Amino acid sequence: MKLSRYYINGVGIVSPQRTFDNAEFLNEITHYHENVLHCVLPEFKDYINPIQLRRLSRMLRVGLSAAVICVRDSGERAPDGIITGTGYGFLHETAKFLEEIYQYNEKQLTPTYFMQSTYNALAGLVALTLKCKGYNNTHVNKGFAFETSMHDAMMHLATNISQNFLVGAFDETDKAQYTIHSQAGYYKTESIDSVELFKHKTIGSLQGEGAAFFSISGTRGENVWCEVADLKMIFCPESGDALRVHVTEFLSANNITTNQVDVLVSGLSGDVKHDEILNMVIQEFNHATDVRFKHLSGEYCTASSFGCWVGASILKKQRIPDVLRFNQVIATSFKTVLIINQYMGRNYSLVLLKSV
Amino acid sequence: MQTVDELIPQLKELIIKQLNLEGVTPEAFDADMPLFGEGLGLDSIDAIELIVLLDRNYGIKLADPKEGKKVFQSVRTMAEFIQLNVKK
Amino acid sequence: MSRRVFVTGYGIITSIGTGAQKNYESLINKQCGYGAIELLDTVHQQDIPACEIKLHDHQLSELADVPANAGYTRTALLGAIALREAIAMAKLSLDELKQSALLSATTTGGIRELEKYYYQLQDPSQQGDFRVFSDSANPGEHTERLAELFGVKGYIGTISTACSSSANTIMMGTDLIKSGMLNTAICGGAEALSKFTINGFNTLMILDKEQCRPFDKTRTGLNLGEGAAYLVLESEESVEASGKKIIAEVKGYGNTNDAFHQTASSPDGGGAYQAMLKALTMGKITSSQIDYVNAHGTATENNDLSEGLAMQKLFEDKVPYFSSTKPYTGHTLAAAGAIEAVFCMLAMQHDLIYPSINFKNQMDELTITPQQELIKNVKLNYVLSNSFGFGGNASSLLFSSVKK
């Protein structure tokens, strides 16, 4: 993987903040008070033709819009491959089909909900829309789904650096799933202001959603955002020390020390139990600006894609909006961003981004 | 038993709802306009949705989906088919 | 870096048997898993036949050697059984497992359990054993569970690209090894029958109410099936160092997207053709060197036409033996690619070609005909295995024999 260099040449993201306009960087912050964060939606008509639009579920619209924004941002580079990652896929359509199965006792059912509940429906839709007949894959491995999609693209690009891949990740909020997961302790029981998430040192996080696409290539594009230097996934590290060792090894494999990391983007979720190990590791990075993002995105399997957008934005725009900062480290330029994410205290990922 | 003319507006509403034709009003499409290909531009999945529409709302089961091609040519041909086959 | 990747073990469970030996015996004796659904609670028990594994979940738990009521979905149980066999055949040590990849594919995951307890799970006043299935909506859940069960920590992945899913895990496992990241990757998939899937396919009107007839003029659709299978892939260096027996080589693969329609393949077979061509190109062999194609052959009108035309275009007037094994096992969706890869292993090891059961009437659009009888004593040097799915996903795997 380190034999090649990889560039993010375009980005498109729809999230619980107003992020679909790449000219902005968290200019406007949306607060949520019911522990569920919904996407701030773009005007779909701007990205999807009306005949295609009417057939699409909400999340397919969100995902396709993000993909189109990304392709336009990359200078309309037609992708050679499309890879998406998701944790729970299309929960609304899954729920609707299940509910119809019960309501109609398995008779007189219609195909649309079933078809649109399949995990690879977005990757297929983007391929259809862009007429991309190249490599196409969908990863559904929980908190690693985004990173695996990125890694999958990087392995292909290593053998052909001139190609470019669209790597996307998405997940959606859903009432039924929220109810089920609430009972398993996933979410805060007290209602809070989402932006104040890290002031509440209690169990549980907030349910979030979003879709983010990145145009990745082995060659620099005109609108390049940053370089993806390396990534690593760690499943269930035994302890804070074990995670620390993984991080140190990762950095040294990239000839970097902790002091050379300018910005640490951490995927703390606000759940005091799940954040424990990650908090231990964050303390090693006292020279870096402490950036967090799940108070803006909420928590979901592929939330690290929002984190990746945050890191890439910092490197491209060379500034950090105050709402992201969680310590007093002031810097004037940013060259190296390390993203450390955790999902449910089980899926840990490291992504190293560099400015170009 | 409804007449074809009574069925047509009802069918238009049902089609718009079942197929999620956002922004399409009943006035916007003509009873004789082709539903598939040119015209409303429906596809094979829409055809299945229409088969279910017939079953759920009129109790008519299309035994062979291929029959659908003739039946679903336009809203009028659908209305005529329903009038002939609806179960009271 | 261009390391060679070898198959050193495999495991399988389908409606035609638990384990490779039983599956092999069923294949050569034309014993199919087709029949009425009995175990899954559905109103369609009378009208939709399938290839169901006639083992209750508690029996699967025993075979998998896991405790009952521990939250293993049926998909995970099937996966565990197949994995045990694969790991044993490849003689993987605990250390090797720790550094391996586990890539498992599924389209249903735990939907069978979710649909059963859907309303109870949402009702806080209802408590009970079913709460172990709180996260069964997640497709990656089964892989994490299996990784923890077998001590796999090197890389954990779950792929879901409809019917091509487990073929894609084999591709990705090959890539991981070729990239130098790992020496061992266990790749495959698991799929249990569910009301969700049966009803879903029923709405698309592509199920046959009788046993499916791949490539037959009168075919009307597929039968669903359930099962799991995994291949153990190892690097050249790893195999040389251990002196392990090699079963076959993963010579090449092709992954393309048809970009034609959300659920149908393009009628000219473009995606299928490109996927097979890519596999041959990667393997640096010509179409005339292929000895057998295990077709996707679902018996839907659309797939068999598309795939048949693609084969005609690729092979021209030298189409090799081909057959679909789906009349035996049904269409096992995400697990199909891996199950059929195991069948390819067995075919290469035993020098035989399976019949395409139930074929009687030549399709008008094709000049080629599937193999109708079992052929023995046929040396298979190169075998292609196809898997094409919804969303336009087309995958083709190329295996080569290591027998002299």
Side-chain angles (χ1 to χ4, degrees):
Chain A
M1 252 192 318
K2 289 186 299 303
L3 295 172
S4 285
R5 301 180 72 171
Y6 309 92
Y7 300 95
I8 293 179
N9 291 317
V11 177
I13 176 168
V14 178
S15 76
Q17 302 302 325
R18 195 188 143 85
T19 51
F20 53 81
D21 185 346
N22 283 330
E24 297 174 14
F25 185 18
L26 297 173
N27 299 5
E28 209 179 280
I29 301 299
T30 307
H31 296 244
Y32 296 86
H33 296 94
E34 283 168 9
N35 298 353
V36 181
L37 283 64
H38 299 288
C39 281
V40 172
L41 301 176
E43 195 57 67
F44 293 127
K45 290 198 316 285
D46 294 345
Y47 309 105
I48 306 170
N49 84 51
I51 300 203
Q52 206 181 21
L53 186 57
R54 60 109 184 146
R55 248 236 162 279
L56 301 180
S57 67
R58 178 181 168 269
M59 205 57 206
L60 280 174
R61 292 172 184 199
V62 166
L64 183 57
S65 298
V68 171
I69 293 169
C70 177
V71 169
R72 288 182 187 170
D73 190 49
S74 73
E76 300 285 352
R77 266 181 96 173
D80 298 292
I82 296 166
I83 306 174
T84 58
T86 180
Y88 289 82
F90 300 96
L91 284 169
H92 278 166
E93 280 55 51
T94 305
K96 280 189 193 154
F97 196 62
L98 270 180
E99 282 154 20
E100 283 212 340
I101 285 175
Y102 279 106
Q103 184 186 354
Y104 293 102
N105 197 26
E106 301 183 67
K107 302 268 169 70
Q108 298 179 333
L109 302 174
T110 61
T112 304
Y113 294 142
F114 174 68
M115 270 170 45
Q116 294 190 352
S117 74
T118 59
Y119 300 103
N120 61 324
L122 181 58
L125 176 65
V126 176
L128 194 57
T129 305
L130 301 178
K131 298 263 170 280
C132 174
K133 299 191 175 187
Y135 184 81
N136 193 294
N137 209 354
T138 295
H139 295 281
V140 295
N141 47 341
K142 290 192 116 173
F144 289 145
F146 170 59
E147 289 77 0
T148 309
S149 301
M150 182 85 90
H151 183 210
D152 194 358
M154 286 157 81
M155 283 200 291
H156 281 88
L157 290 170
T159 62
N160 190 339
I161 60 169
S162 64
Q163 288 194 324
N164 85 91
F165 274 64
L166 264 188
V167 173
F170 68 95
D171 268 297
E172 68 175 341
T173 55
D174 173 73
K175 272 177 82 165
Q177 202 57 42
Y178 183 86
T179 309
I180 295 171
H181 275 170
S182 290
Q183 294 167 72
Y186 279 51
Y187 305 117
K188 297 262 179 248
T189 49
E190 68 278 23
S191 288
I192 65 167
D193 178 337
S194 56
V195 177
E196 308 285 300
L197 174 66
F198 297 109
K199 294 195 173 141
H200 299 265
K201 311 250 182 264
T202 52
I203 300 286
S205 183
L206 308 172
Q207 188 186 54
E209 63 175 14
F213 272 85
F214 301 86
S215 177
I216 316 263
S217 176
T219 53
R220 269 178 82 136
E222 275 197 31
N223 193 31
V224 62
W225 286 56
C226 64
E227 185 191 331
V228 182
D230 203 356
L231 66 81
K232 184 173 185 176
M233 289 170 270
I234 305 141
F235 182 58
C236 294
E238 294 87 5
S239 62
D241 283 333
L243 181 63
R244 207 177 274 130
V245 167
H246 280 291
V247 174
T248 313
E249 281 175 358
F250 178 73
L251 291 176
S252 90
N254 285 282
N255 299 314
I256 296 182
T257 63
T258 49
N259 289 346
Q260 290 170 304
V261 172
D262 299 315
V263 181
L264 183 68
V265 176
S266 73
L268 291 168
S269 63
D271 180 312
V272 71
K273 204 173 73 179
H274 296 149
D275 285 346
E276 207 180 306
I277 292 183
L278 185 47
N279 265 319
M280 287 196 243
V281 171
I282 288 170
Q283 281 159 40
E284 308 283 306
F285 292 85
N286 17 38
H287 293 264
T289 308
D290 178 358
V291 164
R292 305 175 193 182
F293 60 92
K294 287 183 185 173
H295 55 307
L296 305 175
S297 68
E299 174 70 302
Y300 49 103
C301 286
T302 49
S304 52
S305 61
F306 186 101
C308 187
W309 166 76
V310 165
S313 299
I314 290 171
L315 290 172
K316 183 167 170 70
K317 298 174 195 230
Q318 288 293 303
R319 63 183 180 87
I320 304 180
D322 287 336
V323 72
L324 292 172
R325 293 173 182 276
F326 283 80
N327 66 4
Q328 308 310 317
V329 169
I330 306 288
T332 48
S333 76
F334 312 104
K335 291 209 194 63
T336 307
V337 169
L338 175 64
I339 306 167
I340 311 184
N341 189 56
Q342 67 78 19
Y343 177 74
M344 301 304 289
R346 289 166 62 82
N347 304 123
Y348 287 78
S349 60
L350 311 174
V351 177
L352 186 64
L353 302 178
K354 288 184 179 169
S355 61
V356 293
Chain B
M1 178 82 72
Q2 290 175 292
T3 63
V4 168
D5 285 332
E6 281 165 342
L7 279 168
I8 284 174
Q10 191 185 87
L11 260 182
K12 283 186 183 182
E13 298 278 2
L14 284 174
I15 289 170
I16 288 171
K17 188 157 170 250
Q18 184 90 6
L19 304 186
N20 199 31
L21 298 178
E22 271 186 18
V24 177
T25 57
E27 297 70 40
F29 68 109
D30 185 78
D32 295 295
M33 187 170 81
L35 292 174
F36 290 81
E38 298 294 315
L40 212 51
L42 305 185
D43 66 15
S44 55
I45 298 292
D46 294 312
I48 300 178
E49 296 273 354
L50 291 178
I51 292 173
V52 177
L53 187 157
L54 284 183
D55 192 1
R56 278 191 192 169
N57 294 283
Y58 302 101
I60 300 170
K61 287 189 190 328
L62 263 188
D64 181 1
K66 292 197 186 86
E67 258 189 275
K69 265 198 163 153
K70 275 201 324 244
V71 175
F72 301 137
Q73 265 172 56
S74 66
V75 179
R76 188 179 303 282
T77 57
M78 275 183 79
E80 285 165 353
F81 181 78
I82 291 168
Q83 213 217 10
L84 280 174
N85 292 284
V86 69
K87 312 248 179 305
K88 261 286 190 226
Chain C
M1 190 173 289
S2 182
R3 299 164 112 191
R4 294 173 74 184
V5 176
F6 296 104
V7 179
T8 55
Y10 52 82
I12 183 169
I13 174 168
T14 67
S15 58
I16 61 171
T18 302
Q21 182 59 29
K22 197 70 195 60
N23 271 270
Y24 168 66
E25 285 162 14
S26 298
L27 286 164
I28 59 173
N29 292 310
K30 295 191 185 177
Q31 279 160 352
C32 301
Y34 169 87
I37 296 172
E38 288 162 356
L39 303 187
L40 176 68
D41 179 23
T42 164
V43 307
H44 294 296
Q45 280 184 353
Q46 299 313 312
D47 64 301
I48 297 180
C51 295
E52 185 180 49
I53 294 174
K54 302 301 182 196
L55 291 167
H56 292 275
D57 290 0
H58 67 86
Q59 291 170 298
L60 294 177
S61 296
E62 278 172 36
L63 282 171
D65 196 16
V66 301
N69 277 337
Y72 283 84
T73 59
R74 188 175 173 87
T75 293
L77 291 172
L78 293 172
I81 293 166
L83 267 173
R84 252 189 221 293
E85 184 182 17
I87 290 169
M89 192 187 290
K91 298 185 175 47
L92 291 178
S93 67
L94 287 174
D95 233 12
E96 281 173 308
L97 280 168
K98 196 167 174 199
Q99 293 167 68
S100 285
L102 173 60
L103 304 177
S104 185
T106 190
T107 61
T108 56
I111 204 97
R112 183 183 170 114
E113 286 71 21
L114 181 72
E115 69 195 14
K116 193 171 171 187
Y117 301 114
Y118 189 57
Y119 292 110
Q120 287 152 284
L121 282 168
Q122 291 176 67
D123 182 352
S125 72
Q126 294 211 41
Q127 295 303 320
D129 285 347
F130 68 88
R131 289 262 162 217
V132 292
F133 295 119
S134 286
D135 205 27
S136 56
N138 190 293
E141 189 270 339
H142 84 284
T143 318
E144 289 197 352
R145 196 174 274 276
L146 293 174
E148 285 175 301
L149 178 63
F150 291 101
V152 174
K153 282 197 109 164
Y155 197 100
I156 295 164
T158 310
I159 288 176
S160 196
T161 53
C163 318
S164 62
S165 304
S166 53
N168 285 337
T169 64
I170 293 168
M171 289 187 210
M172 191 170 188
T174 303
D175 283 342
L176 285 170
I177 293 172
K178 282 190 177 193
S179 74
M181 193 178 163
L182 301 161
N183 277 316
T184 313
I186 310 169
C187 313
E191 202 84 88
L193 280 175
S194 67
K195 282 202 283 234
F196 195 91
T197 332
I198 288 169
N199 283 290
F201 276 79
N202 201 28
T203 63
L204 290 166
M205 300 188 164
I206 51 175
L207 291 179
D208 196 333
K209 304 295 161 83
E210 293 174 4
Q211 194 178 19
C212 66
R213 288 152 281 159
F215 298 104
D216 189 290
K217 182 173 167 165
T218 65
R219 69 199 185 282
T220 53
L222 59 93
N223 306 133
L224 286 168
E226 58 182 356
Y230 294 90
L231 299 188
V232 176
L233 306 181
E234 293 193 55
S235 69
E236 198 175 354
E237 293 89 339
S238 172
V239 158
E240 269 169 23
S242 66
K244 232 175 251 208
K245 180 167 162 256
I246 302 171
I247 294 164
E249 183 176 357
V250 181
K251 199 87 177 124
Y253 62 73
N255 170 317
T256 61
N257 193 290
D258 218 5
F260 172 76
H261 184 273
Q262 280 166 287
T263 51
S265 306
S266 63
D268 67 353
Y273 170 78
Q274 288 299 335
M276 289 190 280
L277 183 63
K278 267 192 178 179
L280 295 181
T281 308
M282 188 186 288
K284 295 188 174 55
I285 67 160
T286 63
S287 58
S288 57
Q289 289 175 271
I290 297 291
D291 299 304
Y292 169 59
V293 179
N294 183 291
H296 187 54
T298 53
T300 61
E301 285 190 42
N302 176 249
N303 176 81
D304 293 4
L305 173 63
S306 183
E307 188 175 11
L309 289 174
M311 284 196 285
Q312 280 182 187
K313 184 176 176 189
L314 183 72
F315 296 108
E316 293 174 323
D317 53 358
K318 289 210 186 81
V319 176
Y321 293 118
F322 72 94
S323 61
S324 166
T325 45
K326 289 191 169 69
Y328 283 101
T329 57
H331 187 359
T332 49
L333 304 180
I339 284 171
E340 289 158 21
V342 171
F343 289 170
C344 289
M345 297 299 119
L346 288 166
M348 284 189 283
Q349 287 175 302
H350 296 276
D351 300 327
L352 51 80
I353 286 172
Y354 311 114
S356 211
I357 290 178
N358 250 3
F359 173 85
K360 287 193 182 60
N361 309 287
Q362 176 68 31
M363 278 167 67
D364 294 331
E365 304 93 332
L366 300 181
T367 55
I368 57 175
T369 310
Q371 185 50 35
Q372 288 155 74
E373 289 306 321
L374 181 74
I375 306 182
K376 293 183 179 177
N377 302 313
V378 54
K379 176 110 188 1
L380 300 175
N381 293 311
Y382 296 102
V383 169
L384 265 184
S385 180
N386 292 337
S387 300
F388 309 130
F390 287 169
N393 290 105
S395 292
S396 189
L397 297 170
L398 173 66
F399 297 109
S400 67
S401 170
V402 295
K403 280 163 78 160
K404 299 282 177 275

